[in-house]
Amino acid sequence: MVEVPVKMYVAAVAKKAKEAARAMALVSGSVKTNALLAMADRLEAEEEAIFEDNRLDAEAVGKSLTGDTNRDTVKEAVDRVRFAEDAVKEMVKTLRQVADMPDPVGEMTKLWRQPNGMQISRMRVPLGVIGIISDGGPPVTTECIALCLRAGNVSLVRGGPEWAKSGARVATILREAAEAAGVPAGGITFVERNEKEAALELLRLNKHLDAILPRGGAGLRRTVIEQTRLPVLGQDVGVSHVYIDGDADLPLAQNIVVNSKAQQPTAPNSVDCVLVHQAVARSLLSALIRRLLDEFRVEVRGCPKTIAMTGSFALPGYMNLIAAKDDDWGKQFLSKTLAIKVVTDMDDALAHIAQYGPGHTDTIVTRDYTSAMRFIREVDASAVLVNASTRLHDGQEFGLGGGLGINTTKVPARGPVSLEELTCQKYVVMGTGQLRHPHPVPVTYEDAIMLKRPS
């Protein structure tokens, strides 16, 4: 049997997903809740089979890399594919948490009346079909599917090919459980072709998709942004700064910087650049840089003033403090690398942030209320924090019930991608026969004939 070309296959799958969008938008909140709980129950019941498939996936990856490949590289690739012990339990927990979240669809966010009697409101509605492209495994795609389902969207998922067997099993479980609970066929759709071209084709389907959600590393996000004209959710691009003010609590500042960088250095919201007010630089930098180098093996790149104030650290077995280059200041490192610059004052800090913005996440460490409020007003970033780690910029940490990345562009809405960001709003107008005239005729509310409510 001749296999259908990738382009034709992906187009056909996307067309079916688009056809399901209308029915999906009408699914009630109770049906969605029951579907999410049914999906969780099925995953829980088939946990052993999922782990067995994942074992086979890990073996397949190991065999594909045998030969001249470095042993450490093989181990790293296998470990990446192999599930953690609690992976299925975490997927189940995520599904049940999303089931407990309020349904955003149909929510009226604003209501007002015009002088001519028209009642105008704004209502939350699903985006439609969301293409999910992931280079991660089923735990990542499960969270995406759960939040998209809760928001009334069709999920069109292309998961990481390394999880061929376990991904296919989880996909079948989620789709069958959802449809048995009343979700329309096609509401959760998977691209079952592992060729790279399948992911690229999704990015070109403007006719059938309403948005693209990349879930994975910087390379994947960059490819998606460059290759598609669709709105991209969770771009997660941009530099993150911590500015330590002249009136900062220095132990607190040190802890915030360390957590912002070392807690998960590869995260998009890990700090890339620390700006230190010159009034506190000499007191802070020596201890902070030594801690970063010694305890966490962070490569620190300093401006000339930073190096002059702290000297050259030479720690056997570790990298040294090195001079920063010009392009280090605007770089999102996504690694154990951090740039540090001494600034003259807040004006200098704000000018630096503006030069390399708009940013991902920017934090000020200060005890001065006026400085904090000025920083909040003037910094252009998807999130601005006061006396808190940049790593806290996340949908889960913000109490939004989960997050699928951070929108760092101004369109769509900036910040964590959660339920509200997976919807849009439409205007709803209730009239009583109002007409538009060349010169509007004032009509009082009392003169308008209102729609009669059913008794």
Side-chain angles (χ1 to χ4, degrees):
M1 183 177 177
V2 179
E3 192 170 44
V4 176
V6 171
K7 184 174 183 178
M8 292 177 61
Y9 165 79
V10 174
V13 170
K15 184 173 184 289
K16 290 181 180 179
K18 185 67 173 179
E19 291 169 351
R22 183 180 177 190
M24 189 69 188
L26 299 175
V27 175
S28 68
S30 60
V31 168
K32 288 185 278 191
T33 298
N34 292 336
L36 289 162
L37 295 175
M39 293 154 69
D41 291 344
R42 277 284 302 276
L43 285 179
E44 198 168 45
E46 298 193 36
E47 181 175 7
E48 290 186 12
I50 294 170
F51 271 109
E52 175 59 23
D53 282 340
N54 181 247
R55 183 185 67 80
L56 296 174
D57 286 333
E59 283 184 2
V61 168
K63 290 177 181 178
S64 71
L65 295 175
T66 54
D68 297 332
T69 308
N70 180 280
R71 182 177 298 179
D72 291 339
T73 302
V74 174
K75 183 179 183 302
E76 183 179 336
V78 170
D79 288 345
R80 175 176 175 269
V81 172
R82 185 180 289 118
F83 285 169
E85 291 183 6
D86 61 350
V88 175
K89 289 183 174 59
E90 284 299 313
M91 286 190 276
V92 169
K93 180 181 177 182
T94 295
L95 288 163
R96 290 176 177 161
Q97 285 179 337
V98 176
D100 287 337
M101 295 171 68
D103 188 346
V105 178
E107 176 191 358
M108 295 292 188
T109 62
K110 193 173 182 181
L111 174 66
W112 69 97
R113 225 182 272 277
Q114 285 292 89
N116 65 359
M118 285 195 311
Q119 178 179 286
I120 305 172
S121 58
R122 299 190 75 188
M123 176 190 290
R124 289 201 181 281
V125 295
L127 290 176
V129 182
I130 297 180
I132 300 166
I133 300 179
S134 171
D135 60 9
V140 172
T141 56
T142 297
E143 181 183 23
C144 297
I145 291 165
L147 287 169
C148 285
L149 171 60
R150 194 53 162 164
N153 295 299
V154 172
S155 300
L156 179 52
V157 185
R158 197 275 188 177
E162 300 91 334
W163 293 268
K165 290 186 178 296
S166 52
R169 183 178 291 274
V170 170
T172 300
I173 288 170
L174 297 179
R175 182 175 58 239
E176 290 181 353
E179 291 180 7
V183 172
I188 301 174
T189 300
F190 291 85
V191 175
E192 297 174 353
R193 297 282 289 268
N194 290 329
E195 298 96 324
K196 182 180 179 180
E197 289 74 17
L200 293 175
E201 284 301 321
L202 273 183
L203 302 178
R204 301 169 183 144
L205 295 175
N206 299 35
K207 182 178 178 181
H208 301 308
L209 274 64
D210 296 286
I212 285 285
L213 175 63
R215 288 289 281 152
L220 172 66
R221 295 195 302 274
R222 190 181 307 114
T223 298
V224 168
I225 292 168
E226 291 173 353
Q227 295 291 326
T228 191
R229 293 183 180 179
L230 288 160
V232 179
L233 303 173
Q235 311 92 348
D236 262 322
V237 295
V239 180
S240 294
H241 298 89
V242 171
Y243 166 57
I244 300 171
D245 191 32
D247 191 23
D249 179 309
L250 297 190
L252 175 66
Q254 186 179 141
N255 288 337
I256 287 174
V257 171
V258 168
N259 184 262
S260 295
K261 181 77 265 180
Q263 195 270 336
Q264 189 178 338
T266 58
N269 60 1
S270 67
V271 64
D272 302 295
C273 178
V274 175
L275 304 171
V276 183
H277 194 295
Q278 64 181 4
V280 296
R282 196 172 297 278
S283 302
L284 172 74
L285 286 177
S286 292
L288 172 61
I289 292 174
R290 184 172 291 277
R291 186 177 175 190
L292 289 167
L293 293 172
D294 191 8
E295 293 184 37
F296 302 102
R297 304 188 184 188
V298 172
E299 179 181 297
V300 180
R301 303 178 183 182
C303 71
K305 287 184 179 179
T306 299
I307 294 175
M309 287 183 181
T310 59
S312 178
F313 291 113
L315 301 174
Y318 299 96
M319 66 285 294
N320 298 329
L321 170 65
I322 63 175
K325 299 177 181 178
D326 289 343
D327 62 357
D328 288 331
W329 305 121
K331 186 177 293 183
Q332 185 181 33
F333 289 110
L334 301 171
S335 66
K336 283 189 172 183
T337 307
L338 178 66
I340 297 181
K341 181 179 182 181
V342 176
V343 294
T344 306
D345 50 24
M346 177 174 275
D347 288 335
D348 194 8
L350 291 173
H352 179 98
I353 294 171
Q355 181 177 351
Y356 298 105
H360 189 292
T361 310
D362 291 325
T363 284
I364 181 174
V365 184
T366 186
R367 289 178 291 197
D368 184 80
Y369 177 82
T370 302
S371 295
M373 292 303 102
R374 183 184 175 195
F375 192 85
I376 289 171
R377 286 193 307 270
E378 296 190 26
V379 168
D380 185 10
S382 57
V384 180
L385 291 75
V386 177
N387 295 329
S389 169
T390 61
R391 290 284 295 121
L392 293 169
H393 184 194
D394 175 78
Q396 191 72 46
E397 295 290 342
F398 283 5
L400 302 176
L404 305 179
I406 305 295
N407 282 339
T408 49
T409 59
K410 297 181 181 181
V411 178
R414 300 168 91 180
V417 179
S418 192
L419 281 182
E420 286 192 5
E421 289 69 38
L422 295 174
T423 65
C424 59
Q425 297 189 60
K426 67 180 178 184
Y427 287 92
V428 177
V429 180
M430 303 295 286
T432 57
Q434 287 86 348
L435 303 175
R436 184 163 184 168
H437 300 281
H439 302 287
V441 179
V443 180
T444 64
Y445 173 72
E446 289 75 14
D447 292 336
I449 304 172
M450 303 304 295
L451 289 174
K452 293 183 179 179
R453 294 180 180 273
S455 58

